[in-house]
Amino acid sequence: MSTGERTGDSRRRDTRRSGGRGGTPRRHATPRRHTSPRHTATRAGQYAALLGYLVFLAFPFLWLLSTAFKPPRELGSIHPTWIPEAPTLDNFRQAFAQQPLSGAAGNSLLAAAVSALLAILLATPTAYVLARFRNRLSRAATGWVVISQAFPLVLVIIPLFLILKGLHLVDSRIGLIMVYAVWSLPFALWMLTGYVRAVPRELEEAAAVDGAGRFRTLVSVTAPLLAPGIVATALFAFITAWNEFFFALVLLKSPEKQTLPVVLTHFLGAEGVADLGPLAAAALLATLPSLLLFAVIQRRITGGMLAGAVKN
């Protein structure tokens, strides 16, 4: 066989492999995925359950929003409506006139922010130790952290009150901040331990090769990677302290030191009759900070949850 014939045969083979003339590759159609009726029904059921759950969560807030803008005539109607017929802001003015909501909101903000900061500062290095040095002691500490969340408040309030009384911290903002920080610390430890385990050890080993110590590695390498988890944990600690009622009711007696959840109970009369309009307005204002925080940093919360769910 001559050289020309061999060249022609090779060109024909290349043309057949490429799928046509001009060397254009042949495109293979991707097979269509056929979803079974059972799969479609399952997915529809999941979306229906999610929609029902969202309606269940949104119903109290929407009803509170509607009630806060209703005049007294509509609040006493036997046929309530979702949308106020004559919306008014008198409930908000009466709420601020009847109770010191601004001072109570400031007390709640101070207690929640400082306690969340203290909990994060204590939980971050402790979670690092529990995640990196896994032995019997760390496992026992982790188990105790989980078990401590099951204790009801009634079991600890009397010993806690006696301890704070001995330290002269009853009816004190500092004492309440310490209680909130200690109470949210186990939950912060549990969350941050999962986030630390998601950080690859190779990064810390590389920092150790470069001469960085444990503390320098934690501050310069691990802490920046834990930023989403720290933000998520701090937010949950803040919301827990912001909404807390029982500790503030027992430990604070001075009206100027009471937090917002305690002040909201003052809208109830001696016989349990509520001043519904101002109470709804004040409760709506107390709910807004939590919603605004979630709306502002929801991306960091999602990233922190996903990071904490990954394990090496």
Side-chain angles (χ1 to χ4, degrees), residues 220-272:
S220 303
V221 178
T222 309
L225 297 176
L226 291 177
I230 290 175
V231 171
T233 306
L235 177 61
F236 281 109
F238 178 88
I239 297 301
T240 300
W242 176 269
N243 295 328
E244 202 281 324
F245 170 76
F246 189 63
F247 285 140
L249 177 66
V250 175
L251 299 178
L252 298 178
K253 298 300 180 183
S254 301
E256 66 276 5
K257 297 179 182 179
Q258 291 179 342
T259 58
L260 193 56
V262 177
V263 173
L264 290 180
T265 61
H266 297 169
F267 289 98
L268 298 176
E271 297 180 356

Side-chain angles (χ1 to χ4, degrees), residues 37 182 281:
V182 173

Side-chain angles (χ1 to χ4, degrees), residues 113-174:
V114 177
S115 63
L117 179 61
L118 289 177
I120 291 299
L121 292 177
L122 294 174
T124 302
T126 308
Y128 179 82
V129 173
L130 293 178
R132 288 293 184 255
F133 303 97
R134 308 185 70 174
N135 48 35
R136 292 183 178 179
L137 182 60
S138 64
R139 286 193 292 269
T142 304
W144 173 252
V145 167
V146 176
I147 294 174
S148 64
Q149 296 298 296
F151 291 165
L153 298 180
V154 180
L155 292 181
V156 300
I157 189 60
I158 295 179
L160 186 61
F161 181 85
L162 295 177
I163 292 174
L164 292 179
K165 184 178 180 180
L167 298 175
H168 304 286
L169 292 177
V170 176
D171 196 20
S172 170
R173 295 186 181 93
I174 298 177

Side-chain angles (χ1 to χ4, degrees), residues 199-210:
V199 177
R201 290 178 176 267
E202 290 76 9
L203 297 178
E204 299 178 0
E205 293 173 356
V209 172
D210 293 337

